[in-house]
Amino acid sequence: MTCAKHVAKAFPPALAAAAPGFVAPRRHFAGRVGWEEGQDVDLDSVAYGFMASQALFSGLELNIFDSIAEAGEAGASLKQIQEATGVSAPRLQTLLTALVSVKCLRRSPEGLYVNSPNTSQYMVSSSRHFYGDYLKFQIGRQFYHRMGALPDVMTTGQAPSYASWFSDPEVAQTYTQAQHNGSVATAKYLVKKKLSLEGVKDMLDVGGGSGAFSYVFAGAVPGLKSTVLELPEVCRTAETIKAQQSEDVQSRVNFVELDATSPDWPVQDAAFDVVLMSYISGSVPEAIIADLYSNAYKALRPGGRLLVHDFMVNDSLDGPALGALWGLQHVTVNADGLGLCPKEIIDRFGKAGFDTSKCDTKEMIHGMTKLVVAQK
């Protein structure tokens, strides 16, 4: 589905330095003594982490990082930031102090604020590695609030599905727009570093969101055509993004409205060289996953490949933490879903007819996502 299409969203060369970079899949999380480090949990850091998240989201909402960047290398004074944000009350100073404390900002002895290196690279909108829109809109405005329902969902098993959630045009638009840039970055990394598209002529992009992967694949392979299956409201937003692509790419990417959980797909059997499912397997009920792979098997030509890209933990089920936490987040909009690991996916590949001995697993967004490949 669109997600996280991590938002990856998914996800810039932040992936290069810390996970949704656009050049290499690793992002530096400055100032965090990672959850995987040490022998015991830092309870306070876990319990109060939501406060730091909201400080970051508020900085994005108020354009604080852009305002500081525009002030130049010397930095911005409190007065300059007050004028830029339109907030003069003491609460702005409180927010700035919090952002300094979590290392998003640095404060000089003269009281001038500058962005940290990671903030400058990834949270300033003029940077080519910017993914603040993904954090602000999808994580801050949507998933953050859904996570508040987690205790009730765990107890009752009641949660909206992605299909019902995305039936709201505003939700679908916000989610799809926010995810797009991160998905483009992930798709480019996939094509450049992880996957050969030689000989691929026809692609089926299941739950393809904005169409980001299809645009990148079509741009990389002359003549490649892609069919994107997506929910109706997502398709409407995706068409506006498609209109921003080159005419050549637009002519080779087609959207078809479909809930991917439908038992029947409106495509011909044995018609595709590649079937892509990015952020879909973790977004549907567990009972449906095997059917998705069976439909993919039918849609593939002999020798064709099924690509499953998603948030995953290791088969040992002990991490990494960000992959595990993303899986937990999905519970709030997919109460009957499965926390993914390569083994669970490959087992279901086998039930769909794929030869599990030929399946391959690749790391994608470091610490968050993996790619599992099967061949018909």
Side-chain angles (χ1 to χ4, degrees):
M1 217 156 246
T2 21
C3 180
K5 240 171 171 185
H6 165 298
V7 178
K9 189 191 50 259
F11 315 107
L15 295 192
F22 285 173
V23 179
R26 184 181 293 269
R27 220 184 264 146
H28 294 303
F29 291 93
R32 188 189 90 197
V33 179
W35 287 297
E36 290 91 350
E37 298 179 23
Q39 298 300 313
D40 205 348
V41 61
D42 180 344
L43 292 170
D44 288 343
S45 293
V46 172
Y48 303 146
F50 75 97
M51 300 177 185
S53 299
Q54 283 292 12
L56 174 62
F57 302 151
S58 295
L60 289 166
E61 293 282 359
L62 292 172
N63 294 316
I64 287 175
F65 308 127
D66 279 359
S67 299
I68 292 174
E70 291 166 3
E73 293 184 3
S77 66
L78 173 62
K79 183 177 180 180
Q80 288 175 296
I81 300 172
Q82 288 173 331
E83 292 174 350
T85 62
V87 180
S88 59
R91 61 180 177 272
L92 180 62
Q93 178 66 76
T94 303
L95 174 58
L96 293 174
T97 299
L99 290 170
V100 171
S101 73
V102 297
K103 298 183 171 59
C104 288
L105 302 178
R106 295 173 180 177
R107 186 177 187 272
S108 73
E110 296 75 31
L112 297 178
Y113 293 90
V114 296
N115 293 315
S116 76
N118 275 354
T119 301
S120 295
Q121 189 169 8
Y122 306 122
M123 297 295 106
V124 174
S125 62
S126 58
S127 170
R128 70 187 183 92
H129 299 316
F130 175 69
Y131 68 104
D133 52 353
Y134 163 74
L135 293 182
K136 178 171 71 173
F137 293 113
Q138 191 180 105
I139 307 302
R141 294 189 185 182
Q142 294 185 316
F143 282 136
Y144 188 95
H145 301 287
R146 284 301 315 153
M147 281 298 286
L150 181 61
D152 288 339
V153 174
M154 295 301 298
T155 302
T156 67
Q158 300 298 311
S161 66
Y162 271 101
S164 64
W165 202 33
F166 287 167
S167 65
D168 182 325
E170 184 176 353
V171 170
Q173 180 177 16
T174 298
Y175 189 103
T176 306
Q177 289 280 5
Q179 185 62 45
H180 177 71
N181 288 341
S183 292
V184 167
T186 303
K188 287 181 177 179
Y189 176 74
L190 175 61
V191 170
K192 184 176 181 180
K193 298 289 187 179
K194 300 290 184 178
L195 187 71
S196 171
L197 295 177
E198 183 178 357
V200 174
K201 297 180 180 179
D202 297 287
M203 167 184 173
L204 183 63
D205 190 353
V206 183
S210 67
F213 277 79
S214 291
Y215 306 143
V216 171
F217 282 31
V221 181
L224 182 151
K225 296 181 180 179
S226 181
T227 299
V228 184
L229 305 182
E230 252 301 357
L231 296 165
E233 291 299 338
V234 176
C235 285
R236 290 175 178 78
T237 298
E239 289 289 355
T240 66
I241 297 174
K242 175 182 171 180
Q244 301 167 19
Q245 312 306 310
S246 70
E247 290 187 7
D248 176 51
V249 168
Q250 287 186 50
S251 69
R252 292 186 282 123
V253 176
N254 179 49
F255 284 85
V256 176
E257 295 183 1
L258 176 79
D259 183 342
T261 63
S262 170
D264 298 310
W265 292 354
V267 298
Q268 293 182 345
D269 290 349
F272 299 93
D273 303 300
V274 165
V275 174
L276 171 68
M277 297 183 188
S278 184
Y279 303 120
I280 282 292
S281 300
S283 303
V284 299
E286 182 276 334
I288 291 174
I289 297 175
D291 292 336
L292 289 178
Y293 301 162
S294 293
N295 280 345
Y297 187 88
K298 289 189 294 184
L300 284 168
R301 296 179 175 123
R305 289 169 292 173
L306 169 58
L307 314 178
V308 172
H309 171 246
D310 220 309
F311 295 102
M312 297 185 208
V313 296
N314 301 327
D315 287 338
S316 54
L317 302 183
D318 56 0
L322 290 178
L325 291 171
W326 260 106
L328 184 62
Q329 182 284 133
H330 278 309
V331 170
T332 67
V333 283
N334 182 32
D336 295 319
L338 176 70
L340 302 175
C341 66
K343 181 181 183 301
E344 293 285 0
I345 290 173
I346 292 171
D347 285 349
R348 288 164 176 78
F349 281 173
K351 294 175 182 177
F354 294 98
D355 183 347
T356 59
S357 69
K358 296 181 180 179
C359 294
D360 187 25
T361 300
K362 304 173 186 290
E363 289 292 324
M364 281 294 293
I365 302 174
H366 181 75
M368 285 198 278
T369 74
K370 303 179 191 293
L371 174 72
V372 186
V373 182
Q375 188 169 24
K376 181 174 180 178

